[in-house]
Amino acid sequence: MSREEVAYIEKLVAINRVAKVVKGGKRFSFSALVVVGDGKGRVGFGSGKAREVVGAVKKATERAKRFMIRIPMREGRTLHHDVIGRFGAEKVVLRTAESGTGIISGGAMRAVLEAMGIQDVVTKCIGSANPHNMVRATFKALKATWSPKVIAAKRGMRVGDLIARRNGSTAKSRD
């Protein structure tokens, strides 16, 4: 049984070198933070540690592919609504944007959004600039997004009525 191999977008977010002092001197090892996405709404992150940079990146990439999540996107280019994510001292704000805006973001958040396939979004990072916390806060925010289809099902409405309410009009005013 063969599985289709998807072409993933892999972004190396951070590499950290740590030293352990032993009898003969210092032993160095490396930790890596990697974000992996398919460019169509699936994204995951992972961290790995090894004696060599290549080994750490490989472990992190495998972990990121194993724990990917699917995020609903509006028109395949932006989020459905604004959202806030928190992790530790980190707080991130993700806002929808008009077509052609691009990714107004920096650091680790940009890597997550590019790997996911979002094209138009405005973000703000408040608090720490630690890439591990920033990635986790971004994922918490992305997990909190809902598509209109899911919200309409929960409310017992049709998607068209929900979209009409979002645009500021009501269903009765069109009749």
Side-chain angles (χ1 to χ4, degrees), residues 3-9 37-40 42 65 68:
R3 254 175 42 180
E4 285 184 35
E5 192 61 34
V6 181
Y8 289 115
I9 301 166
D38 65 354
K40 299 173 189 161
R42 288 185 66 215
K65 287 179 182 177
M68 291 181 82

Side-chain angles (χ1 to χ4, degrees), residues 12 14 22 37 39 54 66-67 83 86 88 96 98 106 108 122 124 129-130 136 158 161 171 173:
L12 180 62
V22 293
V54 177
R66 199 176 320 131
F67 296 106
V83 65
R86 290 183 177 86
T96 61
E98 295 292 322
V122 178
K124 182 66 181 169
N130 180 339
R136 288 181 185 272
R158 291 193 328 246
D161 296 339
S173 65

